[in-house]
Amino acid sequence: MILYKGEIYENHYQKRLIDTLREDCYETLEKEEFLKIDEVIEACDKLAQQVKAKKYDDLILPLLEEFDIPYDYFLSHLPMFEKPSLLHKVETELGKNHDKEIPLNEDNNKRRYPLGILFHIAAGNVDALPAYSVIEGLLAGNINILKLPSGDRGLSVKLLSELIKIEPKLKPYIYVFDVPSTETETLRIFAEMSDAIVVWGGDVAIKAARTMASVTTKIIEWGHKLSFAYATLDASDKDLEGLAHHMAITDQVLCSSAQGIYVDTSSREELDQFAKRFFDIFVEINKSHKPVPFGMKSRNALQLYYEELESKKSKKKILKKDGISVITSDDSQLELSMMFRSIWIKMLPKDKIIQNLKPHKNHLQTAGLLAPDNKSEEIKSLLIKAGLTRITKGKDMSRIIVGESHDGVYPLMQYSRVVESFK
Amino acid sequence: MKRRYVRKLFRTRKIYDLNKTDELFVKAMRENAVYHYTNCLEYKQILDDTSFNPFKIETMEDVINLPFLPTLYFKHHELFSKPLWRMPIKATSSGTSSGFRSKIAMSFGDLWRGFQMIRRIFAYHKLWSLKPVTYLIFGYQPTKHSQAGIMKTAYGFTYVAPARKRVYAIRWTKDGYQVDLELIKQEMIKASKKKTPIRTIGFPAYTYFLLKEMEAEGIKLKMPKGSKITVGGGWKNFYAEKVDKFEFYRLVKEILGIEEENCVEFFGAVEHPILYTDCKYHHFHVPVHARVIIRDPETFRPVENGQIGLINLITPMIEGTPLLSVMTDDLGILHDKCECGVNSPWLEIIGRVGIKDITTCAQGAEEMLKE
């Protein structure tokens, strides 16, 4: 499906539409006033109200069901798209006077402007993400070209075309194409005409985007991140329970999901005792959550059986029950877990935090900190120096707060530029 | 060492009479387990670590309790129970998403047993023919550049009936292996005007893609009498396409004029070189040379027939590598009843474990620009 100036087309119109895309985008730049952020916010707010009024449930409910997301949880995130939140976001990220000329000195003014044209390459792991990326582009005032991820089920096109229905002025600012990643020539056309490529995804996606971009195109990367929990041996049961809930809810699939727990110790014995303590809590907490999907449970069971066969050599210890597991080992390597509630627990004494984590610099995102108050400041400081961008409580690792940065930076600012001009 | 029971098992005439061979099967398993235990140090350690005594295999329950090895294990370890120079076949699996390949070796004895098995299974399914045929192979042209097991199997199949000609879809060129389905299409068109029957062999997905293309081009042929479509090598790598078997048979009938009963599918794996051949209802019945256990992923205990679980494949056939109990990455169901009249249960393969529910921030996104 293609969305072009508010109209939906079948994919075979692709070539014809791409032929006129550059001209149409340039014409918008030439003839239109700058997009008013307030109008974008109003439109998003109306759309959010419609979602709340269950207008799109036929589309949304099956997706929630499939990804095992409770309806209430979904609703609790909707306010993010409502007026007060969006106003707050814009103000936090761009400043109060983002649409005004401000004096730079006696003779000159400065003002924030959109970059111009953004090309979004969205990842497929969250269904509404592609649309969200475009909305951020609009909030900064840009024209947006979106490449849908493979396996997209139409939610993004639906939401964006509804947004245009609410506010027809957005028509020339939104273009969505369903181009496969293999059509690099087409993607290059998009990249070439854009001021920036906004790419979501892992290292492979980012590398590909880098090869696509000419030197005049900026690349804004929302890359693959890893998150973990950091616990002291005297972390409270309550904190561990909170983390266990987080692990059971997110199944380690989000950038902000804890893949495992680093423990502030250099003793394997202490580590294994801690692991046993956490495992017992995890098993209990897990009973209040939906079971691990059968296919993933089977995959992990095989992997764990294999690890057991290798355990004599690898020195790994495995605790498993009810489809969930924890593995302890001698190393401190930051890595992806098996996911779906099979996590790792490793030693990382606090004086080794920087040494061990700094090499991962831009791949680090959230650390859930489980430590008594008198220790947390020191550890927090070390984690920040190592390159983490969010420090939260264990239970809050995947929480979303309006106005918070994205991987340490403000996206709307990334999608903007500051222009100085004489008075 | 004498291989009395294994030899007897592979000479069994009634190839789907599982009940009558249970006792013999257990004995053959003991024989094979003891052989690997005494000839492969690494295998011995695995059994010792779990305190399993292979000399005491006396019942089917003992076979169930024999530690299985996951295919993943063969991808990281080379286990051989004979010196490599004494083994004529060294095969690798065709590789999956993990990027690793299993390395398996087979001895002359293994090959002889394989031949015995194939001879009887083909006789049962009436696949032998004296009439020369044209082989259209949807697979690799054998060269010194690849050791993929599937290729060896495909070449072996071309002796089932005398070959007038062999045409390969994946041929070795100066740029490596290249797929050329157009050539096969032209051969099909030529063959439809002659009397020599054709036999296709190879990956079902390629066959399917070609037939789809021919359908789109409006090509309809009538292949000479005696033509057969045989497919094997699994539908893996193509789960996304969700090719429906019956859609495939419909295409074969419509495009090539070959009846469904002349479509035969095989299933096997490098780690379990038993030939499963589908019956006329397209079910893979377990032959006497093997047993299939479907295990619960939680407890690894066998589940009842009709229930889904992990597929564990068991055979005492091989002495080159300890493949006697191999756990696949696939989920499946063992079914009891089939109208074809064979009493042996049949295996339904559901698909690779956990392949479909993974889309993550960390992994899924990487696939995006790769595919």
Side-chain angles (χ1 to χ4, degrees), chain A residues 246-305:
Chain A
H246 158 81
M247 285 176 159
I249 291 167
T250 68
D251 277 328
Q252 293 66 60
V253 303
L254 303 177
C255 287
S256 57
S257 312
Q259 299 297 326
I261 310 173
Y262 279 127
V263 183
D264 180 17
T265 178
S266 49
S267 148
R268 179 67 193 266
E269 204 180 316
E270 284 179 349
L271 178 79
D272 288 343
Q273 278 166 10
F274 178 92
K276 176 77 175 77
R277 186 178 148 219
F278 178 74
F279 179 68
D280 290 341
I281 290 175
F282 197 10
V283 170
E284 263 322 292
I285 295 290
N286 188 50
K287 287 177 183 157
S288 62
H289 293 274
K290 274 198 180 175
V292 178
F294 189 83
M296 296 317 304
K297 184 163 84 176
S298 307
R299 187 190 74 129
N300 285 353
L302 276 180
Q303 186 78 32
L304 289 166
Y305 181 85

Side-chain angles (χ1 to χ4, degrees), chain B residues 140-362:
Chain B
Y140 295 91
Q141 178 185 23
T143 64
K144 59 181 188 299
H145 306 284
S146 169
Q147 292 218 347
I150 186 84
M151 188 181 84
K152 290 176 180 166
T153 324
Y155 189 73
F157 273 135
T158 62
Y159 289 93
V160 172
R164 175 143 292 162
K165 175 152 116 175
R166 299 182 178 92
V167 185
Y168 292 90
I170 309 175
R171 278 169 310 140
W172 183 258
T173 70
K174 62 180 185 347
D175 302 318
Y177 277 112
Q178 298 285 338
V179 182
D180 183 1
L181 292 179
E182 182 59 30
L183 177 80
I184 302 278
K185 183 164 82 188
Q186 293 310 326
E187 288 293 339
M188 280 180 171
I189 293 169
K190 261 193 246 167
S192 67
K193 293 168 188 154
K194 294 185 180 152
K195 281 200 176 135
T196 311
I198 62 154
R199 276 203 188 183
T200 72
I201 301 173
F203 294 121
Y206 287 132
T207 319
Y208 176 77
F209 290 152
L210 178 60
L211 292 177
K212 265 302 212 206
E213 191 182 302
M214 291 167 76
E215 186 185 36
E217 290 170 11
I219 299 175
K220 273 190 186 166
L221 306 172
K222 177 83 189 125
M223 286 299 160
K225 194 166 161 276
S227 293
K228 279 184 194 293
I229 299 293
T230 66
V231 290
W235 299 80
K236 65 181 169 194
N237 304 332
F238 296 96
Y239 279 133
E241 290 292 325
K242 285 211 178 96
V243 181
D244 176 56
K245 274 190 187 184
F246 295 94
E247 161 70 3
F248 178 74
Y249 301 132
R250 180 195 68 79
L251 272 175
V252 169
K253 172 98 201 315
E254 200 170 306
I255 309 298
L256 302 177
I258 296 174
E259 296 292 331
E260 186 180 322
E261 62 191 42
N262 288 317
C263 291
V264 184
E265 189 178 350
F266 300 108
F267 157 77
V270 164
E271 298 91 347
H272 181 74
I274 296 295
L275 188 72
Y276 293 74
T277 311
D278 67 353
C279 69
K280 68 177 174 180
Y281 295 98
H282 302 295
H283 295 154
F284 291 119
H285 292 273
V286 182
V288 291
H289 323 96
R291 294 296 184 273
V292 174
I293 300 175
I294 304 294
R295 293 185 191 260
D296 180 292
E298 195 93 47
T299 60
F300 291 136
R301 289 294 305 163
V303 297
E304 273 178 40
N305 284 3
Q307 304 282 318
I308 188 170
L310 290 160
I311 303 176
N312 178 197
L313 302 169
I314 297 179
T315 180
M317 172 181 167
I318 302 295
E319 59 182 16
T321 296
L323 296 173
L324 53 179
S325 181
V326 170
M327 182 64 102
T328 68
D329 306 333
D330 290 316
L331 290 171
I333 301 174
L334 212 49
H335 296 273
D336 275 328
K337 297 230 155 49
C338 176
E339 286 177 29
C340 76
V342 166
N343 282 327
S344 149
W346 56 274
L347 175 63
E348 181 187 2
I349 301 157
I350 306 292
R352 184 71 44 81
V353 287
I355 210 155
K356 110 173 177 244
D357 4 40
I358 291 204
T359 27
T360 75
C361 225

Side-chain angles (χ1 to χ4, degrees), chain A residues 122 181-182 253 255 305 310 323, chain B residues 49 68 77 298 361 365 368-369 371:
Chain A
S181 306
T182 41
V253 303
C255 287
Y305 181 85
E310 300 278 20
Chain B
D49 285 348
F68 52 81
H77 297 258
E298 195 93 47
C361 225
M368 187 175 82
L369 286 166
E371 23 106 32

Side-chain angles (χ1 to χ4, degrees), chain B residues 18-34:
Chain B
L18 259 52
N19 292 340
K20 278 216 178 112
T21 54
D22 268 354
E23 204 186 317
L24 178 61
F25 188 84
V26 171
K27 284 178 177 159
M29 281 300 289
R30 181 174 63 224
E31 198 173 67
N32 192 241
V34 167

Side-chain angles (χ1 to χ4, degrees), chain B residues 103-148:
Chain B
K103 290 193 183 61
I104 304 297
M106 292 183 204
S107 68
F108 282 105
D110 295 340
L111 285 182
W112 174 244
R113 276 182 292 283
F115 174 71
Q116 300 265 35
M117 166 182 72
I118 288 170
R119 190 164 66 109
R120 297 217 151 80
I121 288 180
F122 277 16
Y124 180 91
H125 291 275
K126 302 191 172 63
L127 289 169
W128 295 109
S129 161
L130 288 173
K131 198 170 171 191
V133 300
T134 298
Y135 286 101
L136 303 175
I137 299 150
F138 289 85
Y140 295 91
Q141 178 185 23
T143 64
K144 59 181 188 299
H145 306 284
S146 169
Q147 292 218 347

